[in-house]
Each structure stands twice: as structure tokens, then as C-alpha cells.
Amino acid sequence: MVTDDLVMLTLRAGRSLLVSASLVAAGALALSAAPATSGAALSGASTSSATAHGLLGSATPRPASLGTASYSFASVVDSKPVRWNPCAPIRWTANTARGPAGGLDVLKASVARIAATTGTTWQYVGPTTTVPTAAYLPRSSTAAYPPVLLGWTDGTASDLLRGQPRSVLGVARTAWFGVVKPDGRKVVATRAAVIALDRTDALPLRGGTSWSSVVLHELGHAMGLAHPADTSQLMASVLPRTLTDLQSGDRAGLTRLGRTAGCIVL
């Protein structure tokens, strides 16, 4: 099932504009042959984009399965939210060559905020010249996965932004994989993510309606959160200009996706 989600942002000028739309393959599983010891293979993907300067459509609420009014999960498999293995380091890299001055500091601060909230360990492996594109993500389970890629680019260089309205600020896409155990249990984990930030949008580094709030929102999607019904949350479909940090519901949802939920053994 594919669900369209829209998020609104109130800009400093007082205009209420569309800031994020996401397409999430919720619970759509692809089964393929695998060794009998591990069962069948599972895979899935989630895509979220941040936009401004126009309305693409009306918001479609996503069922907050396992969540509350204050937080919701993007994908649920076997009655559990799809998440990263919190007991393994999450490696990440950044392409800031075409981003604003000070952009790397914003990315590092946002990643640190997510890491502290989830109890996960993020390891910065250094800069990259790789452009954030859909092809960056693996299409099947593999022995090693690329680091999470965050970077500024545009529609000319990245298919994630190509053809998008001028309003698009960024796009986040994740990929998860797993197995069906011999006893029928499905065990999955997010294994890769890419976030493309549109360099043509002029936003301040910090504060309301900033790269900091946009990156935090998109990292929330990358961790496995969807848009909740509670409009006072950073992950809400309507993002007030005064929000500059994760709110109580955002933190509660991220906690359920983090270390307190336990390790994932595939």
C-alpha cells in the first residue's frame, strides 16, 4: 500500500506553504528464496520529501499503528515498527560541497540530537563527493551497506529532486531488509538511507524554518517516524515556524525506535 503524506510549514513571512510529502511503502513485502536457515527474504522502502512554496494536494492521514496521536511509524512488520538495529553503529557521510557555509555543522548537530534521543551510535566517516540519488540505496540485502548519505544537490544532478515542484526542500529515502524465520516470524531492519537537500532553497542554518529543523524532520523519517496527528510535534504534517527542536511526541516515538527497543538479530 502506498500512502501520500503532506506536511505544511508556516514560513517567517507568514505564508502557510507545503513543506514535506512522503510516499511510504507501508507493509509491502517482497518475498524471495533464501536459505532454509534464514527463511524468505524481506525488503521495503520509504520515501519522504520536504517542500515549500506551494500546495501539492490535501493531507492524507496515515494510520498511527502502534503509535499514538503524538507519534506514528512509517512502516510496521509483524506488529513492530521498522527501525535500525540500535546496537550497531550507524555510519554516515555528507556532501556539503554545494550547500551553505556551515552546513556540515548543522548536519552534525542534527545527527547528534537524533543519536542522543534514540540511544544509537552514529559514526561520521568523513565527506564524500557522491551525489544523493535513488541509485545510492541497495536494492537487495548485501554483506555491507553504504553509510547514510546527507547532502545538498539539485534536480539537475539528483533524480530524487528532478521533476519536483520548486517548493521541494529535500527528499529522504530509506531501504530495509530482513528475513522470515522458519517459525514464520518476520525480522527486519533499516539498512540504508539517503537525504537530498535542495541547494536552490535559501534557508537560515538554524531557528524556525531552517535547515536545522528540516534535517531533524527528515532524519526522523529516516529513523522510521511518519507524520502524527498531533500538530504540535516537529514530525507533524503542519510544522509551525516556532518549532526548532524535537517535541515530546517526537522523542517518545524515536525512543521506541531506539536502543530501549532492543537489538535486532537477523
Side-chain angles (χ1 to χ4, degrees), residues 76-177:
V76 175
V77 174
D78 251 15
S79 299
K80 296 179 181 179
V82 175
R83 58 193 177 94
W84 295 81
N85 176 13
C87 301
I90 301 174
R91 299 162 59 246
W92 71 283
T93 185
N95 183 340
T96 61
R98 305 181 75 186
L104 181 58
D105 290 337
V106 168
L107 298 183
K108 286 184 175 180
S110 297
V111 167
R113 185 75 176 99
I114 294 295
T117 304
T118 59
T120 52
T121 299
W122 288 63
Q123 296 179 346
Y124 180 55
V125 299
T128 181
T129 58
T130 302
V131 176
T133 65
Y136 183 78
L137 295 180
R139 294 184 176 275
S140 61
S141 181
T142 181
Y145 295 92
V148 175
L149 172 59
L150 300 91
W152 279 270
T153 182
D154 54 37
T156 300
S158 175
D159 58 343
L160 292 175
L161 298 174
R162 188 172 305 132
Q164 298 281 5
R166 291 180 59 250
S167 55
V168 171
L169 296 173
V171 174
R173 179 173 293 185
T174 62
W176 55 262
F177 303 96

Coordinates of all heavy atoms in Angstrom, one line a residue, residues 76-177:
V76 N 5.3 -0.9 9.5 CA 5.2 -1.8 10.6 C 5.2 -3.2 10.0 O 4.4 -3.5 9.0 CB 3.9 -1.6 11.4 CG1 3.6 -2.7 12.4 CG2 3.9 -0.2 12.0
V77 N 6.0 -4.1 10.5 CA 6.1 -5.5 10.1 C 5.9 -6.4 11.3 O 6.6 -6.3 12.3 CB 7.4 -5.8 9.3 CG1 7.5 -7.3 9.0 CG2 7.5 -5.0 8.1
D78 N 5.0 -7.4 11.2 CA 4.8 -8.3 12.3 C 4.5 -7.5 13.6 O 5.0 -7.8 14.7 CB 6.0 -9.2 12.5 CG 5.6 -10.6 12.1 OD1 4.6 -10.8 11.4 OD2 6.4 -11.6 12.4
S79 N 3.7 -6.5 13.5 CA 3.3 -5.7 14.7 C 4.4 -4.9 15.3 O 4.3 -4.6 16.5 CB 2.5 -6.5 15.7 OG 1.4 -7.1 15.1
K80 N 5.5 -4.7 14.6 CA 6.6 -4.0 15.2 C 7.1 -2.9 14.2 O 7.1 -3.1 12.9 CB 7.8 -4.9 15.4 CG 7.5 -6.0 16.5 CD 8.7 -6.9 16.7 CE 8.5 -7.9 17.7 NZ 9.6 -8.8 17.9
P81 N 7.4 -1.7 14.6 CA 7.9 -0.7 13.7 C 9.2 -1.1 13.1 O 10.1 -1.6 13.7 CB 8.0 0.6 14.6 CG 8.3 0.0 16.0 CD 7.4 -1.3 16.0
V82 N 9.4 -0.7 11.8 CA 10.6 -1.0 11.1 C 11.6 0.1 11.6 O 11.3 1.3 11.6 CB 10.5 -0.9 9.6 CG1 11.8 -1.0 8.9 CG2 9.5 -2.0 9.1
R83 N 12.8 -0.4 12.0 CA 13.8 0.5 12.6 C 15.2 0.0 12.3 O 15.4 -1.1 11.8 CB 13.6 0.6 14.1 CG 13.7 -0.7 14.8 CD 13.2 -0.7 16.3 NE 13.2 -2.0 16.9 CZ 14.2 -2.4 17.7 NH1 15.2 -1.6 17.9 NH2 14.1 -3.6 18.2
W84 N 16.2 0.8 12.6 CA 17.6 0.4 12.5 C 17.9 -0.5 13.7 O 17.2 -0.5 14.8 CB 18.5 1.6 12.6 CG 18.4 2.6 11.5 CD1 17.5 3.5 11.3 CD2 19.3 2.6 10.3 NE1 17.7 4.2 10.1 CE2 18.8 3.7 9.5 CE3 20.4 1.9 9.9 CZ2 19.4 4.0 8.3 CZ3 21.0 2.3 8.7 CH2 20.5 3.3 7.9
N85 N 18.9 -1.3 13.6 CA 19.4 -2.1 14.7 C 20.2 -1.1 15.6 O 21.3 -0.6 15.3 CB 20.4 -3.2 14.3 CG 21.0 -4.0 15.4 OD1 20.6 -3.8 16.6 ND2 22.0 -4.7 15.2
P86 N 19.6 -0.8 16.8 CA 20.2 0.2 17.6 C 21.5 -0.2 18.3 O 22.2 0.6 18.9 CB 19.1 0.5 18.7 CG 18.4 -0.8 18.8 CD 18.4 -1.4 17.4
C87 N 21.8 -1.5 18.2 CA 23.1 -2.0 18.8 C 24.2 -2.0 17.9 O 25.4 -2.4 18.3 CB 22.8 -3.4 19.4 SG 21.4 -3.4 20.6
A88 N 24.0 -1.6 16.7 CA 25.1 -1.5 15.7 C 25.3 0.0 15.3 O 24.4 0.7 15.2 CB 24.8 -2.3 14.5
P89 N 26.6 0.4 15.2 CA 26.8 1.8 14.8 C 26.2 2.1 13.4 O 26.1 1.3 12.5 CB 28.3 1.9 14.7 CG 28.8 0.8 15.5 CD 27.8 -0.3 15.3
I90 N 25.6 3.3 13.3 CA 25.1 3.8 12.1 C 26.1 4.8 11.5 O 26.4 5.8 12.0 CB 23.7 4.6 12.3 CG1 22.7 3.6 12.9 CG2 23.2 5.1 10.9 CD1 21.4 4.3 13.3
R91 N 26.7 4.4 10.4 CA 27.7 5.2 9.7 C 27.1 6.2 8.8 O 26.0 5.9 8.2 CB 28.7 4.3 8.9 CG 29.4 3.3 9.8 CD 30.0 2.1 9.0 NE 30.9 2.6 8.0 CZ 30.8 2.5 6.6 NH1 29.7 1.9 6.2 NH2 31.7 3.0 5.8
W92 N 27.7 7.4 8.7 CA 27.1 8.4 7.9 C 28.1 9.3 7.2 O 29.3 9.4 7.7 CB 26.0 9.3 8.6 CG 26.6 10.2 9.6 CD1 27.0 10.0 10.9 CD2 26.7 11.7 9.5 NE1 27.4 11.1 11.5 CE2 27.2 12.2 10.7 CE3 26.4 12.6 8.4 CZ2 27.5 13.5 10.9 CZ3 26.7 13.9 8.6 CH2 27.2 14.4 9.8
T93 N 27.8 9.9 6.1 CA 28.7 10.7 5.4 C 27.9 11.9 4.8 O 26.7 11.9 4.9 CB 29.4 9.9 4.2 OG1 30.3 10.8 3.5 CG2 28.3 9.5 3.2
A94 N 28.6 12.9 4.4 CA 28.0 14.2 4.0 C 28.6 14.8 2.7 O 29.9 14.7 2.6 CB 28.0 15.2 5.1
N95 N 27.8 15.3 1.8 CA 28.3 16.0 0.7 C 27.7 17.4 0.8 O 26.6 17.7 0.6 CB 27.7 15.4 -0.6 CG 28.3 16.1 -1.9 OD1 28.7 17.2 -1.8 ND2 28.2 15.4 -3.0
T96 N 28.6 18.3 1.3 CA 28.2 19.7 1.5 C 28.9 20.7 0.5 O 28.8 21.9 0.7 CB 28.6 20.1 3.0 OG1 30.1 20.0 3.1 CG2 28.0 19.2 4.0
A97 N 29.4 20.1 -0.5 CA 30.2 21.0 -1.5 C 29.3 22.1 -2.1 O 29.7 23.2 -2.4 CB 30.8 20.1 -2.6
R98 N 28.0 21.8 -2.2 CA 27.1 22.7 -2.9 C 26.1 23.3 -1.8 O 25.1 23.9 -2.2 CB 26.3 22.1 -4.0 CG 27.3 21.5 -5.1 CD 26.5 20.8 -6.2 NE 26.0 21.9 -7.1 CZ 25.2 21.6 -8.2 NH1 24.8 20.3 -8.4 NH2 24.8 22.6 -8.9
G99 N 26.4 23.0 -0.6 CA 25.5 23.5 0.5 C 25.9 24.8 1.0 O 26.9 25.4 0.6
P100 N 25.2 25.3 2.0 CA 25.5 26.6 2.6 C 26.7 26.5 3.5 O 27.1 25.4 4.0 CB 24.3 26.9 3.5 CG 23.7 25.6 3.8 CD 24.0 24.7 2.6
A101 N 27.4 27.6 3.7 CA 28.6 27.7 4.6 C 28.1 27.3 6.0 O 27.0 27.8 6.5 CB 29.2 29.0 4.6
G102 N 28.7 26.4 6.7 CA 28.3 26.0 8.0 C 27.3 24.8 7.9 O 26.8 24.4 9.0
G103 N 27.0 24.3 6.7 CA 26.1 23.2 6.6 C 26.5 22.0 7.3 O 25.6 21.3 7.9
L104 N 27.7 21.6 7.3 CA 28.2 20.4 7.9 C 28.0 20.4 9.4 O 27.6 19.4 10.1 CB 29.7 20.1 7.7 CG 30.3 18.9 8.3 CD1 29.5 17.6 7.8 CD2 31.8 18.8 8.0
D105 N 28.1 21.6 10.0 CA 27.9 21.8 11.5 C 26.4 21.5 11.8 O 26.1 20.9 12.8 CB 28.3 23.2 11.9 CG 29.8 23.4 11.9 OD1 30.5 22.4 12.0 OD2 30.2 24.5 11.9
V106 N 25.5 22.0 10.9 CA 24.1 21.7 11.1 C 23.8 20.2 11.0 O 23.0 19.7 11.8 CB 23.3 22.5 10.1 CG1 21.8 22.0 10.1 CG2 23.3 24.0 10.3
L107 N 24.4 19.6 10.0 CA 24.2 18.1 9.9 C 24.7 17.4 11.1 O 24.0 16.5 11.6 CB 24.9 17.6 8.6 CG 24.4 18.1 7.3 CD1 25.1 17.5 6.2 CD2 22.9 18.0 7.1
K108 N 25.9 17.7 11.6 CA 26.4 17.0 12.7 C 25.6 17.3 14.0 O 25.4 16.3 14.8 CB 27.9 17.5 13.0 CG 28.9 17.0 12.0 CD 30.3 17.5 12.3 CE 31.3 16.8 11.4 NZ 32.7 17.3 11.8
A109 N 25.1 18.5 14.2 CA 24.3 18.8 15.3 C 22.9 18.0 15.3 O 22.4 17.5 16.3 CB 24.0 20.3 15.4
S110 N 22.3 17.9 14.1 CA 21.1 17.2 13.9 C 21.3 15.7 14.2 O 20.4 15.0 14.8 CB 20.5 17.5 12.5 OG 20.2 18.8 12.4
V111 N 22.3 15.1 13.6 CA 22.6 13.7 13.8 C 22.8 13.4 15.3 O 22.4 12.4 15.8 CB 23.8 13.3 13.0 CG1 24.3 11.9 13.4 CG2 23.5 13.3 11.5
A112 N 23.6 14.3 16.0 CA 23.9 14.1 17.4 C 22.6 14.2 18.2 O 22.4 13.4 19.2 CB 24.8 15.2 17.9
R113 N 21.6 15.0 17.8 CA 20.3 15.1 18.5 C 19.6 13.8 18.4 O 19.0 13.3 19.3 CB 19.5 16.3 17.9 CG 18.2 16.5 18.7 CD 18.5 17.2 20.0 NE 17.3 17.5 20.7 CZ 16.7 16.8 21.7 NH1 17.3 15.7 22.1 NH2 15.6 17.2 22.3
I114 N 19.5 13.3 17.1 CA 18.8 12.0 16.9 C 19.5 10.9 17.7 O 18.9 10.0 18.3 CB 18.8 11.7 15.4 CG1 17.9 12.7 14.7 CG2 18.3 10.3 15.1 CD1 16.5 12.7 15.0
A115 N 20.8 10.9 17.6 CA 21.6 9.8 18.3 C 21.3 9.8 19.8 O 21.1 8.8 20.5 CB 23.1 10.0 18.1
A116 N 21.3 11.0 20.4 CA 21.1 11.1 21.9 C 19.7 10.7 22.2 O 19.4 10.1 23.3 CB 21.3 12.6 22.3
T117 N 18.7 11.0 21.4 CA 17.3 10.7 21.7 C 17.0 9.2 21.5 O 16.3 8.6 22.3 CB 16.4 11.5 20.7 OG1 16.6 12.9 20.8 CG2 14.9 11.2 21.0
T118 N 17.7 8.6 20.6 CA 17.4 7.1 20.3 C 18.4 6.2 21.0 O 18.1 5.0 21.1 CB 17.5 6.8 18.8 OG1 18.8 7.2 18.3 CG2 16.5 7.6 18.0
G119 N 19.5 6.8 21.5 CA 20.5 5.9 22.2 C 21.3 5.2 21.2 O 22.0 4.2 21.5
T120 N 21.3 5.6 19.9 CA 22.1 5.0 18.9 C 23.4 5.6 18.8 O 23.6 6.8 19.2 CB 21.4 5.0 17.5 OG1 21.0 6.4 17.3 CG2 20.1 4.1 17.6
T121 N 24.4 5.0 18.1 CA 25.7 5.5 17.9 C 25.9 5.8 16.4 O 25.7 4.9 15.6 CB 26.8 4.5 18.3 OG1 26.6 4.3 19.7 CG2 28.2 5.1 18.1
W122 N 26.2 7.0 16.1 CA 26.4 7.4 14.7 C 27.8 7.8 14.5 O 28.4 8.5 15.3 CB 25.5 8.7 14.4 CG 24.0 8.4 14.2 CD1 23.2 7.9 15.2 CD2 23.2 8.5 13.1 NE1 21.9 7.7 14.7 CE2 21.9 8.1 13.4 CE3 23.5 8.9 11.8 CZ2 20.9 8.1 12.5 CZ3 22.4 8.9 10.8 CH2 21.1 8.5 11.2
Q123 N 28.4 7.2 13.5 CA 29.8 7.4 13.2 C 30.0 8.2 11.9 O 29.6 7.7 10.8 CB 30.6 6.1 13.1 CG 30.6 5.3 14.4 CD 31.3 4.0 14.2 OE1 31.6 3.5 13.1 NE2 31.6 3.3 15.4
Y124 N 30.6 9.4 12.0 CA 30.8 10.2 10.8 C 32.1 9.6 10.1 O 33.2 9.6 10.7 CB 31.0 11.7 11.1 CG 31.3 12.6 9.9 CD1 30.4 12.6 8.8 CD2 32.4 13.4 9.9 CE1 30.7 13.4 7.8 CE2 32.6 14.2 8.8 CZ 31.8 14.2 7.8 OH 32.0 15.0 6.7
V125 N 32.0 9.2 8.9 CA 33.1 8.6 8.2 C 33.8 9.6 7.3 O 34.7 9.2 6.5 CB 32.7 7.3 7.4 CG1 32.1 6.3 8.3 CG2 31.7 7.7 6.3
G126 N 33.4 10.8 7.3 CA 34.1 11.9 6.5 C 33.2 12.3 5.3 O 32.2 11.8 5.1
P127 N 33.7 13.3 4.6 CA 33.0 13.9 3.5 C 33.0 13.0 2.3 O 33.8 12.1 2.2 CB 33.7 15.2 3.2 CG 35.1 14.9 3.6 CD 35.0 14.0 4.9
T128 N 32.1 13.2 1.4 CA 32.0 12.5 0.1 C 31.7 13.4 -1.0 O 31.1 14.5 -0.8 CB 31.0 11.3 0.2 OG1 31.0 10.6 -1.0 CG2 29.6 11.9 0.4
T129 N 32.0 13.0 -2.2 CA 31.6 13.7 -3.4 C 30.4 13.1 -4.1 O 29.9 13.6 -5.1 CB 32.8 13.8 -4.4 OG1 33.2 12.5 -4.8 CG2 34.0 14.6 -3.8
T130 N 29.9 12.0 -3.5 CA 28.8 11.3 -4.0 C 27.5 12.1 -3.9 O 27.2 12.7 -2.9 CB 28.6 9.9 -3.3 OG1 29.7 9.1 -3.4 CG2 27.4 9.2 -3.9
V131 N 26.8 12.2 -5.0 CA 25.5 13.0 -5.0 C 24.4 12.1 -4.5 O 24.3 10.9 -4.9 CB 25.2 13.4 -6.5 CG1 23.9 14.1 -6.6 CG2 26.4 14.3 -7.0
P132 N 23.6 12.6 -3.6 CA 22.4 11.8 -3.1 C 21.4 11.5 -4.3 O 20.8 12.4 -4.8 CB 21.8 12.8 -2.1 CG 22.9 13.7 -1.7 CD 23.6 13.9 -3.0
T133 N 21.3 10.3 -4.6 CA 20.4 9.9 -5.7 C 19.7 8.6 -5.2 O 20.2 7.9 -4.3 CB 21.1 9.6 -7.0 OG1 22.0 8.5 -6.9 CG2 21.8 10.8 -7.5
A134 N 18.7 8.1 -5.9 CA 18.0 6.9 -5.6 C 18.9 5.7 -5.8 O 18.8 4.7 -5.1 CB 16.8 6.8 -6.5
A135 N 19.8 5.8 -6.8 CA 20.7 4.7 -7.0 C 21.7 4.4 -5.9 O 22.3 3.3 -5.9 CB 21.5 4.9 -8.3
Y136 N 21.8 5.3 -5.0 CA 22.7 5.1 -3.8 C 22.3 4.0 -2.9 O 23.1 3.3 -2.3 CB 22.8 6.4 -3.0 CG 23.8 6.4 -1.9 CD1 25.1 6.5 -2.1 CD2 23.3 6.2 -0.6 CE1 26.1 6.5 -1.1 CE2 24.2 6.2 0.5 CZ 25.6 6.3 0.2 OH 26.5 6.2 1.3
L137 N 21.0 3.7 -2.9 CA 20.5 2.7 -2.0 C 20.6 1.3 -2.6 O 20.3 1.2 -3.8 CB 19.0 3.0 -1.6 CG 18.8 4.3 -0.8 CD1 17.3 4.4 -0.5 CD2 19.5 4.3 0.5
P138 N 20.9 0.3 -1.8 CA 21.0 -1.0 -2.3 C 19.5 -1.5 -2.6 O 18.6 -1.1 -1.9 CB 21.6 -1.8 -1.2 CG 21.3 -1.0 0.0 CD 21.3 0.4 -0.4
R139 N 19.4 -2.4 -3.6 CA 18.1 -2.9 -3.9 C 17.8 -4.3 -3.4 O 16.8 -4.8 -3.5 CB 17.9 -2.9 -5.5 CG 17.9 -1.5 -6.1 CD 17.6 -1.6 -7.6 NE 17.5 -0.2 -8.1 CZ 16.4 0.5 -8.2 NH1 15.3 0.0 -7.7 NH2 16.4 1.7 -8.7
S140 N 18.9 -4.9 -2.8 CA 18.7 -6.2 -2.2 C 19.7 -6.3 -1.0 O 20.6 -5.5 -0.9 CB 19.0 -7.3 -3.2 OG 20.3 -7.2 -3.7
S141 N 19.5 -7.3 -0.1 CA 20.3 -7.5 1.0 C 21.7 -7.8 0.6 O 21.9 -8.5 -0.4 CB 19.7 -8.6 1.9 OG 20.5 -8.8 3.0
T142 N 22.7 -7.2 1.3 CA 24.1 -7.4 0.9 C 24.9 -7.6 2.2 O 24.4 -7.3 3.3 CB 24.6 -6.3 0.1 OG1 26.0 -6.5 -0.3 CG2 24.5 -5.0 0.9
A143 N 26.2 -7.9 2.0 CA 27.0 -8.1 3.2 C 27.4 -6.8 3.9 O 27.7 -6.8 5.1 CB 28.3 -8.9 2.8
A144 N 27.5 -5.8 3.1 CA 27.8 -4.4 3.6 C 27.0 -3.4 3.0 O 26.6 -3.5 1.8 CB 29.3 -4.2 3.4
Y145 N 26.6 -2.4 3.8 CA 25.7 -1.3 3.3 C 26.4 0.0 3.4 O 27.3 0.2 4.2 CB 24.5 -1.3 4.2 CG 23.6 -2.5 4.1 CD1 23.8 -3.5 5.0 CD2 22.7 -2.6 3.1 CE1 23.0 -4.7 4.9 CE2 21.9 -3.8 3.0 CZ 22.1 -4.8 3.9 OH 21.3 -6.0 3.8
P146 N 26.1 0.9 2.5 CA 26.7 2.2 2.4 C 26.3 3.1 3.6 O 25.3 2.9 4.2 CB 26.2 2.8 1.1 CG 24.9 2.2 0.9 CD 25.0 0.8 1.4
P147 N 27.2 4.0 4.0 CA 26.8 4.9 5.1 C 25.6 5.8 4.7 O 25.4 6.0 3.5 CB 28.0 5.8 5.3 CG 28.8 5.7 4.0 CD 28.5 4.4 3.4
V148 N 24.8 6.2 5.7 CA 23.7 7.1 5.4 C 24.3 8.4 4.8 O 25.3 9.0 5.3 CB 23.0 7.5 6.7 CG1 22.0 8.6 6.5 CG2 22.4 6.3 7.4
L149 N 23.7 8.8 3.7 CA 24.3 9.9 2.9 C 23.3 11.1 3.1 O 22.1 11.0 2.7 CB 24.4 9.6 1.4 CG 24.8 10.7 0.5 CD1 26.1 11.4 0.8 CD2 24.8 10.2 -1.0
L150 N 23.9 12.3 3.5 CA 23.1 13.5 3.6 C 23.9 14.5 2.7 O 25.1 14.6 2.8 CB 23.0 14.1 5.0 CG 22.3 13.2 6.0 CD1 23.3 12.3 6.8 CD2 21.6 14.1 7.1
G151 N 23.2 15.3 1.9 CA 23.9 16.3 1.1 C 23.0 17.2 0.4 O 21.8 17.0 0.2
W152 N 23.6 18.4 0.0 CA 22.9 19.3 -0.8 C 23.1 19.1 -2.3 O 24.3 18.9 -2.7 CB 23.3 20.8 -0.5 CG 22.6 21.3 0.8 CD1 21.5 22.0 0.9 CD2 23.1 21.1 2.1 NE1 21.2 22.3 2.2 CE2 22.2 21.8 3.0 CE3 24.2 20.5 2.7 CZ2 22.3 21.9 4.4 CZ3 24.4 20.6 4.1 CH2 23.4 21.3 4.9
T153 N 22.1 19.2 -3.1 CA 22.2 19.0 -4.5 C 21.0 19.7 -5.2 O 20.4 20.5 -4.6 CB 22.2 17.4 -4.9 OG1 22.3 17.3 -6.3 CG2 20.9 16.7 -4.4
D154 N 20.7 19.3 -6.4 CA 19.5 19.9 -7.1 C 18.9 18.9 -8.1 O 19.4 17.8 -8.3 CB 19.9 21.2 -7.8 CG 21.1 21.1 -8.8 OD1 21.2 20.0 -9.4 OD2 21.9 22.0 -8.9
G155 N 17.9 19.3 -8.8 CA 17.2 18.5 -9.7 C 18.0 18.1 -10.9 O 17.7 17.1 -11.6
T156 N 19.0 18.9 -11.2 CA 19.8 18.6 -12.4 C 20.7 17.4 -12.1 O 20.9 16.5 -13.0 CB 20.6 19.8 -12.8 OG1 19.8 20.9 -13.2 CG2 21.5 19.4 -14.0
A157 N 21.2 17.3 -10.9 CA 22.2 16.3 -10.5 C 21.5 15.1 -9.9 O 22.1 14.0 -9.9 CB 23.2 16.9 -9.6
S158 N 20.3 15.2 -9.2 CA 19.7 14.1 -8.5 C 18.3 13.8 -8.9 O 17.5 14.7 -9.0 CB 19.7 14.5 -7.0 OG 19.0 13.5 -6.3
D159 N 18.1 12.5 -9.2 CA 16.7 12.1 -9.6 C 15.7 12.2 -8.4 O 14.5 12.3 -8.6 CB 16.7 10.7 -10.1 CG 17.3 9.7 -9.2 OD1 17.9 10.1 -8.2 OD2 17.1 8.5 -9.4
L160 N 16.2 12.3 -7.2 CA 15.4 12.5 -6.1 C 14.7 13.8 -6.1 O 13.5 14.0 -5.6 CB 16.1 12.3 -4.8 CG 16.7 10.9 -4.5 CD1 17.6 10.9 -3.2 CD2 15.6 9.9 -4.3
L161 N 15.3 14.8 -6.7 CA 14.7 16.2 -6.7 C 14.2 16.5 -8.1 O 13.5 17.5 -8.3 CB 15.8 17.2 -6.3 CG 16.3 17.1 -4.9 CD1 17.4 18.1 -4.6 CD2 15.1 17.3 -3.9
R162 N 14.7 15.8 -9.1 CA 14.3 16.1 -10.5 C 12.8 16.0 -10.7 O 12.2 15.0 -10.3 CB 15.1 15.1 -11.5 CG 14.9 15.5 -12.9 CD 15.8 14.6 -13.8 NE 17.2 14.7 -13.3 CZ 18.0 13.6 -13.0 NH1 17.5 12.4 -13.2 NH2 19.2 13.8 -12.6
G163 N 12.3 17.0 -11.4 CA 10.9 17.0 -11.7 C 10.0 17.4 -10.5 O 8.8 17.5 -10.7
Q164 N 10.6 17.7 -9.4 CA 9.8 18.1 -8.2 C 9.4 19.6 -8.4 O 10.1 20.3 -9.1 CB 10.6 18.0 -7.0 CG 11.0 16.6 -6.7 CD 9.9 15.8 -6.0 OE1 8.8 16.2 -5.9 NE2 10.2 14.5 -5.6
P165 N 8.4 20.0 -7.8 CA 8.0 21.4 -7.8 C 9.1 22.3 -7.2 O 9.9 21.8 -6.5 CB 6.7 21.5 -7.0 CG 6.2 20.1 -7.0 CD 7.4 19.2 -7.0
R166 N 9.1 23.6 -7.5 CA 10.1 24.5 -6.9 C 10.0 24.5 -5.4 O 11.0 24.9 -4.8 CB 9.8 25.9 -7.5 CG 10.1 26.1 -8.9 CD 9.8 27.5 -9.4 NE 10.6 28.5 -8.6 CZ 10.1 29.4 -7.7 NH1 8.8 29.3 -7.5 NH2 10.9 30.2 -7.1
S167 N 8.9 24.0 -4.9 CA 8.7 24.0 -3.4 C 9.6 23.0 -2.7 O 9.7 23.1 -1.5 CB 7.3 23.7 -3.1 OG 6.8 22.6 -3.7
V168 N 10.1 22.0 -3.4 CA 10.8 20.9 -2.7 C 12.1 21.4 -2.0 O 13.0 21.9 -2.7 CB 11.1 19.8 -3.7 CG1 12.0 18.7 -3.0 CG2 9.8 19.1 -4.1
L169 N 12.2 21.1 -0.7 CA 13.4 21.4 0.0 C 14.3 20.2 0.2 O 15.6 20.4 0.2 CB 13.0 21.9 1.5 CG 12.2 23.2 1.6 CD1 11.8 23.4 3.0 CD2 13.0 24.3 1.1
G170 N 13.8 19.0 0.2 CA 14.6 17.9 0.3 C 13.8 16.6 0.3 O 12.6 16.6 0.4
V171 N 14.5 15.5 0.0 CA 13.9 14.2 -0.1 C 14.7 13.2 0.8 O 15.9 13.1 0.7 CB 13.8 13.7 -1.5 CG1 13.3 12.3 -1.6 CG2 12.9 14.6 -2.3
A172 N 14.1 12.4 1.6 CA 14.7 11.3 2.3 C 14.2 10.0 1.8 O 13.0 9.8 1.7 CB 14.4 11.5 3.8
R173 N 15.1 9.0 1.6 CA 14.6 7.7 1.2 C 15.4 6.6 2.0 O 16.6 6.8 2.2 CB 14.9 7.5 -0.3 CG 14.5 6.1 -0.8 CD 14.5 6.0 -2.3 NE 13.5 6.8 -3.0 CZ 13.3 6.9 -4.3 NH1 14.0 6.1 -5.1 NH2 12.4 7.6 -4.8
T174 N 14.7 5.6 2.4 CA 15.4 4.5 3.2 C 15.1 3.2 2.6 O 14.1 3.0 1.8 CB 14.9 4.5 4.7 OG1 13.5 4.2 4.7 CG2 15.1 5.8 5.4
A175 N 15.9 2.2 2.9 CA 15.7 0.8 2.5 C 15.8 -0.1 3.7 O 16.8 0.0 4.4 CB 16.7 0.5 1.4
W176 N 14.9 -1.0 3.8 CA 15.0 -2.0 4.9 C 14.9 -3.4 4.3 O 14.3 -3.7 3.3 CB 14.0 -1.8 6.0 CG 12.5 -1.8 5.6 CD1 11.8 -0.7 5.3 CD2 11.6 -2.9 5.4 NE1 10.5 -1.0 5.0 CE2 10.4 -2.4 5.0 CE3 11.8 -4.3 5.4 CZ2 9.3 -3.2 4.7 CZ3 10.7 -5.1 5.2 CH2 9.5 -4.5 4.8
F177 N 15.6 -4.3 5.0 CA 15.7 -5.7 4.6 C 15.5 -6.6 5.8 O 15.7 -6.2 7.0 CB 17.0 -6.0 3.9 CG 17.3 -5.1 2.7 CD1 18.1 -4.0 2.9 CD2 16.8 -5.4 1.5 CE1 18.3 -3.2 1.8 CE2 17.0 -4.6 0.4 CZ 17.8 -3.5 0.5

